[in-house]
């Protein structure tokens, strides 16, 4: 459901007091608490916390109405004894610093401060309907039970792995709903989990009980609303435990910001619901909770407000409260600094109602003198201030010196622009971690990637998007996509779809980003009601490319066969063309026989050229060779005889001499 960090933006607190709706408590952008009187439409009280700028208010919840002692006690008459008026008195405010402030409207001052229970910012507070107990949920994933009589923690337990974003106590005070990554129902006596509910993919901001019946009757219902979710889910708590899915859902135009509900006390009584969405519209519902309903329910009436100019502009609704009368609604609209309060009778027969009002844009806060007695003098450059010392001595109001102006210029000059940040972060090639560099730089780099990607998507800056999309590391891509806020997921998918239709080289890179988006944000995308229309282009493009892929694989197989056949034919031709000529011939000059054999070798060489010769010719050549050898032998013998006779004669001559 909700992520591990509180990345969703909480709306400014704006709540009507219970039962009579006598007061409207608003905590505006300046961190001040203003309480308006709905009857006189004037500012009743204003409270400025000591740390209203650093520890701003995140949530407000009115305590149960109680009897309050005002002024000195007097003896009551018999007619007044039976009638005791209950008023809204205490108001709990959670802050970013982890403290809870309790403000009293009767005293007009701070009642007490509850601190020391949370280590993170407080996201939600809720009062116990009977006892003087208060419950708070924080970013530190804990729930704290406060005792207002002592001003200390009564108990504390871990509710979830992530942040605790919403709380709600049942009307009988026995059960507590908490929302984190899952919706859990706690037994307040044992502080153990009674039920678990899953179904939201984003942070749950609203939990309200829709019925006042006990859980053992199988008729206990509650509703929940989440960030970026245009459906309000209704859950049923059953004895058999088969309550994993929601039974009813209400359709809105945007995520819910403020909800007021009149609970059902029996099956014959319908639940009345007034929801103010993020786009400033009011949706009214009326439904009998009796089992599951498959189709989402549309509002019985939608109220929208606009100004009376020539080109009308919508006026946002801030809060709404259902009055005791069935058709009467208390509305607060305009801006948080000076809201306009109006009580209307709305006819639900009209499905859509548009009201035109003339709202003054200039803010003129009319604060009663009893509320604030501090007067701020108006001073300009011409005014003079008397300095203590000599009578009548005057000195000009100290203005801004040149040294402070230089300091401001130096501070302004140190602001880093987006271009410089892009230059410092080398997105073309990821730098390696140097010796002096810490190992935490990849996480910082992915943080910068996520910030730059969101800026590029919001401003449609192609230079920033091109440099971010050029990264090829899968780990960097996954971490960047996982750290994106949920409102930036759908624009990222649309940008990926545009780039997939371009060059194939960029399409290969975009497939990695699309894979990472589907891995991390599938649950959020599936919760969008108009997902099919928004992702229709991507779906049809992928479907057409998948159809072409089958044909391309067939063509690839045929081309592969042709290429391999041509390659084998070329290799066979190269093997057949072998040169049979001798590379080297060796001959010995020792005797004529070897010469003959050499001639025979030459004949053999000649015979190699004429491979298929008759055997008869071979036999004739052999006979001739034998005859030639015999003649050679006879010649050698005659030559040796003649040489012997000549030698003898030569010897005789030498002897005679």
């Amino acid at each position: 459901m909700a992520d591990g960090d509180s990345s969703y933006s909480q709306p400014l607190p704006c709540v009507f007091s219970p039962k009579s709706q006598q007061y409207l408590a608003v905590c505006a952008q300046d961190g001040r608490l203003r309480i308006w009187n709905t009857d006189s439409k004037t500012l009743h009280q204003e409270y400025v916390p000591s740390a209203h700028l650093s520890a701003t208010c995140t949530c407000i919840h009115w305590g149960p109405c109680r009897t309050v002692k005002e002024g000195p006690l007097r003896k009551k008459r018999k007619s007044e004894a039976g009638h005791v008026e209950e008023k809204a008195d205490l108001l709990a405010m959670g802050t970013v610093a982890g403290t809870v402030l309790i403000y009293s409207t009767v005293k007009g001052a701070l009642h007490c401060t509850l601190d020391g229970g949370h280590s993170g910012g407080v996201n939600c507070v809720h009062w116990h309907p009977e006892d003087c107990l208060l419950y708070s949920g924080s970013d530190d994933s804990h729930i704290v039970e406060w005792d207002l009589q002592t001003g200390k923690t009564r108990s504390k337990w871990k509710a979830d792995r992530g942040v605790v974003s919403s709380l709600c106590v049942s009307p009988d005070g026995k059960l507590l709903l908490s929302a984190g990554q899952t919706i859990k129902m706690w037994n307040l006596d044992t502080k153990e989990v009674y039920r678990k509910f899953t179904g939201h993919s984003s942070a749950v901001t609203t939990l309200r009980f829709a019925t006042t019946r006990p859980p053992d009757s199988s008729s206990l219902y509650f509703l929940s609303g989440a960030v970026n979710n245009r459906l309000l889910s209704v859950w049923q708590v059953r004895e058999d435990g088969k309550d994993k899915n929601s039974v009813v859902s209400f359709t809105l135009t945007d995520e819910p910001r403020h909800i007021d509900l009149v609970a059902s006390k029996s099956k014959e009584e319908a639940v009345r619901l007034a929801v103010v969405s993020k786009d400033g519209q009011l949706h009214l519902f009326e439904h009998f909770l009796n089992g599951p309903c498959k189709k989402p329910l549309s509002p019985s009436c939608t109220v929208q407000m606009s100004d009376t100019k020539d080109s009308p502009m919508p006026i946002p609704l801030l809060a709404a409260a259902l009055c005791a009368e069935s058709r009467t609604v208390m509305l607060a609209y305009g801006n948080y600094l000076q809201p306009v309060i109006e009580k209307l009778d709305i006819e639900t027969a009209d499905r859509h109602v548009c009201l035109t009002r003339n709202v003054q844009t200039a803010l003129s806060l009319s604060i009663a003198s009893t509320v604030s007695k501090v007067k701020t003098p108006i001073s300009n450059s011409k005014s003079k201030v008397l300095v203590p010392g000599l009578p009548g001595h005057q000195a000009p109001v100290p203005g801004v010196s040149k040294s402070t102006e230089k300091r401001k210029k130096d501070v302004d000059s140190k602001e880093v622009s987006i271009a410089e940040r892009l230059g410092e972060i080398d997105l073309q090639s990821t730098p390696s971690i140097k010796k002096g560099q810490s190992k935490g730089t990849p996480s910082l780099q992915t943080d910068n990637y996520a910030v730059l990607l969101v800026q590029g998507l919001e401003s449609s800056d192609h230079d920033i998007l091109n440099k971010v999309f050029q990264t090829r590391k899968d780990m960097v891509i996954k971490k960047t996509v996982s750290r994106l806020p949920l409102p930036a997921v759908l624009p990222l998918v649309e940008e990926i779809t545009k780039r997939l239709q371009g060059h194939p080289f960029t399409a290969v890179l975009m497939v990695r980003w699309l894979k990472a988006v589907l891995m991390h944000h599938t649950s959020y995308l599936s919760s969008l009601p108009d997902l099919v229309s928004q992702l229709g282009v991507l779906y049809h493009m992928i479907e057409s490319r998948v159809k072409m892929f089958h044909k391309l694989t067939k063509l690839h197989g045929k081309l592969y066969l042709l290429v391999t056949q041509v390659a084998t034919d070329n290799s066979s031709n190269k093997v057949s063309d072998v040169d049979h000529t001798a590379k080297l011939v060796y001959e010995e000059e020792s005797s004529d026989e070897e010469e003959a054999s050499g001639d025979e070798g030459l004949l053999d060489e000649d015979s190699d050229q004429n491979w298929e010769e008759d055997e008869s010719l071979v036999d004739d050549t052999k006979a001739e060779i034998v005859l030639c050898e015999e003649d050679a032998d006879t010649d050698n013998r005659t030559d040796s005889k003649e040489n012997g006779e000549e030698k003898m004669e030569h010897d005789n001559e030498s002897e005679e001499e």
Side-chain angles (χ1 to χ4, degrees):
M1 288 180 53
D3 295 337
D5 52 351
S6 58
S7 59
Y8 61 94
S9 60
Q10 293 183 346
L12 294 175
C14 182
V15 185
F16 283 98
S17 61
K19 292 188 178 180
S20 61
Q21 292 89 27
Q22 184 181 2
Y23 300 120
L24 173 67
V26 182
C27 193
Q29 297 90 339
D30 55 359
R32 302 186 178 192
L33 173 67
R34 294 184 177 91
I35 298 177
W36 300 81
N37 192 326
T38 57
D39 296 331
S40 60
K41 310 294 190 298
T42 56
L43 184 63
H44 179 62
Q45 291 176 0
E46 182 179 11
Y47 172 68
V48 183
S50 58
H52 66 285
L53 296 179
S54 60
T56 57
C57 178
T58 56
C59 52
I60 289 178
H61 192 258
W62 284 94
C65 296
R66 61 177 187 169
T67 56
V68 181
K69 297 179 181 179
E70 294 184 357
L73 295 176
R74 64 179 179 87
K75 212 171 184 181
K76 294 184 180 180
R77 299 177 182 176
K78 292 183 180 181
S79 59
E80 295 177 352
H83 177 71
V84 178
E85 185 180 2
E86 294 184 347
K87 293 185 178 181
D89 179 21
L90 298 181
L91 181 68
M93 298 184 293
T95 63
V96 179
T99 59
V100 180
L101 306 178
I102 307 298
Y103 181 80
S104 174
T105 56
V106 175
K107 297 178 182 177
L110 188 66
H111 180 69
C112 64
T113 302
L114 308 176
D115 56 355
H118 292 293
S119 60
V122 178
N123 296 322
C124 49
V125 289
H126 204 280
W127 290 84
H128 194 278
E130 297 176 359
D131 300 331
C132 294
L133 299 177
L134 179 71
Y135 298 90
S136 61
S138 173
D139 289 340
D140 59 4
S141 68
H142 284 78
I143 297 175
V144 175
E145 184 181 33
W146 302 90
D147 189 353
L148 293 184
Q149 293 181 353
T150 60
K152 297 180 180 180
T153 59
R154 189 173 178 181
S155 62
K156 179 180 179 180
W157 70 94
K158 188 172 182 179
D160 209 283
R161 290 178 295 176
V163 303
V164 180
S165 56
S166 184
L167 290 175
C168 185
V169 183
S170 62
D172 57 358
K174 296 181 180 180
L175 299 174
L176 173 68
L177 284 172
S178 70
Q181 293 185 348
T182 57
I183 300 176
K184 295 180 181 179
M185 181 175 286
W186 303 84
N187 188 341
L188 289 179
D189 295 333
T190 60
K191 304 297 187 298
E192 294 180 354
V193 178
Y194 180 72
R195 285 283 192 278
K196 285 186 179 180
F197 306 90
T198 57
H200 290 288
S201 61
S202 55
V204 177
T205 56
T206 303
L207 288 173
R208 296 293 300 270
F209 278 93
T211 57
T212 58
R213 285 158 275 175
D216 54 0
S217 64
S218 298
S219 299
L220 184 64
Y221 293 85
F222 71 92
L223 58 89
S224 63
V227 176
N228 298 322
N229 194 344
R230 290 180 282 185
L231 291 176
L232 274 179
S233 302
V234 180
W235 311 79
Q236 183 181 10
V237 184
R238 301 175 58 179
E239 287 184 352
D240 53 5
K242 297 180 180 180
D243 44 17
K244 300 295 182 182
N245 300 322
S246 60
V247 293
V248 183
S249 58
F250 298 107
T251 307
L252 308 174
T253 56
D254 207 336
E255 66 178 73
R257 282 296 176 88
H258 183 275
I259 293 179
D260 190 40
L261 182 142
V262 176
S264 171
K265 297 179 181 179
S266 63
K267 293 183 179 180
E268 291 76 17
E269 186 179 356
V271 176
R272 294 170 56 206
L273 187 64
V275 185
V276 177
S277 56
K278 185 179 178 181
D279 57 0
Q281 298 187 36
L282 172 64
H283 305 279
L284 299 176
F285 297 91
E286 192 169 351
H287 180 68
F288 291 92
L289 294 175
N290 189 13
C293 182
K294 295 182 179 180
K295 294 183 179 181
L297 301 177
S298 301
S300 58
C301 182
T302 301
V303 180
Q304 188 177 8
M305 307 196 76
S306 64
D307 54 17
T308 57
K309 296 180 180 178
D310 296 335
S311 56
M313 296 294 293
I315 301 173
L317 286 165
L318 306 179
L322 296 170
C323 300
E325 298 84 3
S326 60
R327 304 298 179 188
T328 307
V329 181
M330 185 80 72
L331 299 178
Y333 55 90
N335 52 66
Y336 288 94
L337 293 176
Q338 189 177 8
V340 180
I341 302 170
E342 187 175 353
K343 198 171 185 180
L344 291 175
D345 293 334
I346 298 176
E347 294 293 334
T348 56
D350 300 330
R351 297 299 298 268
H352 189 86
V353 177
C354 184
L355 305 175
T356 57
R357 296 291 184 272
N358 185 11
V359 180
Q360 296 179 358
T361 56
L363 299 179
S364 58
L365 295 177
S366 58
I367 303 175
S369 60
T370 57
V371 176
S372 176
K373 298 181 180 180
V374 179
K375 302 295 182 181
T376 304
I378 301 174
S379 62
N380 50 27
S381 59
K382 297 180 180 180
S383 61
K384 303 294 182 179
V385 179
L386 293 177
V387 180
L390 297 176
H393 181 71
Q394 294 180 348
V397 176
V400 180
S401 62
K402 294 182 179 179
S403 59
T404 54
E405 291 181 354
K406 289 182 179 180
R407 289 176 185 173
K408 289 183 179 180
K409 289 181 180 179
D410 294 338
V411 172
D412 295 339
S413 63
K414 290 180 181 179
E415 293 182 357
V416 183
S417 61
I418 297 177
E420 292 177 356
R421 291 180 66 185
L422 286 173
E424 291 177 0
I425 306 167
D426 188 7
L427 301 182
Q428 300 289 343
S429 60
T430 305
S432 59
I433 299 176
K434 300 178 181 179
K435 294 182 180 179
Q437 190 176 3
S438 63
K439 294 182 179 180
T441 48
S443 62
L444 294 175
Q445 189 178 7
T446 51
D447 288 339
N448 292 329
Y449 270 84
V451 172
L452 292 175
L453 183 57
V454 172
Q455 291 178 353
L457 292 173
E458 290 179 353
S459 61
S460 300
D461 194 335
H462 295 286
D463 294 335
I464 297 177
L465 294 176
N466 290 335
K467 289 186 178 181
V468 173
F469 286 142
Q470 281 176 2
T471 181
R472 295 176 177 271
K473 287 198 171 185
D474 293 334
M475 187 58 66
V476 177
I477 294 174
K478 289 179 181 178
K479 289 186 177 180
T480 303
V481 172
S482 64
R483 296 182 182 185
L484 281 180
L486 291 179
V489 173
L490 199 58
L492 176 60
V493 174
E494 293 175 354
E495 183 67 24
I496 291 174
T497 305
K498 293 178 184 177
R499 292 175 180 262
L500 280 173
Q501 299 173 357
H503 196 273
F505 177 74
T506 59
V508 173
L509 297 176
M510 290 299 103
V511 168
R512 297 183 179 181
W513 288 90
L514 182 61
K515 180 181 176 182
V517 171
L518 295 178
M519 286 176 61
H520 290 87
H521 300 289
T522 304
S523 57
Y524 164 66
L525 292 174
S526 60
S527 66
L528 298 176
D530 52 349
L531 180 66
V532 177
S533 61
Q534 291 179 348
L535 300 184
V537 178
L538 179 62
Y539 175 75
H540 291 301
M541 181 182 64
I542 294 176
E543 188 178 9
S544 62
R545 292 195 178 186
V546 169
K547 289 181 180 178
M548 291 296 297
F549 180 73
H550 184 62
K551 298 179 181 178
L552 289 174
T553 50
K554 285 185 177 180
L555 180 61
H556 176 70
K558 293 178 181 179
L559 291 175
Y560 179 75
L561 290 175
L562 291 175
V563 170
T564 51
Q565 287 178 0
V566 171
T568 51
D569 292 340
N570 293 334
S571 61
S572 62
N573 292 333
K574 290 180 181 179
V575 172
S576 61
D577 298 338
V578 179
D579 189 7
H580 295 282
T581 58
K583 301 296 182 183
L584 178 64
V585 178
Y586 176 73
E587 297 180 358
E588 291 183 357
E589 298 179 356
S590 61
S591 63
D592 294 335
E593 294 178 358
E594 291 175 357
E595 291 178 0
S597 65
D599 295 337
E600 186 177 352
L602 293 173
L603 289 172
D604 291 336
E605 291 177 1
D606 295 336
S607 65
D608 290 337
Q609 295 177 0
N610 301 319
W611 188 262
E612 297 177 354
E613 200 169 42
D614 295 334
E615 294 180 359
S616 61
L617 293 175
V618 175
D619 296 334
D620 293 340
T621 53
K622 289 182 179 181
E624 289 178 358
I625 292 169
V626 172
L627 291 175
C628 290
E629 290 179 352
E630 292 177 354
D631 293 338
D633 293 334
T634 54
D635 291 338
N636 291 330
R637 291 172 184 173
T638 54
D639 292 337
S640 62
K641 289 180 180 181
E642 290 177 355
N643 293 331
E645 291 176 356
E646 289 179 356
K647 188 176 182 181
M648 291 289 290
E649 291 178 355
H650 184 66
D651 293 334
N652 293 331
E653 287 179 358
S654 61
E655 289 177 358
E656 288 176 358
E657 291 178 359

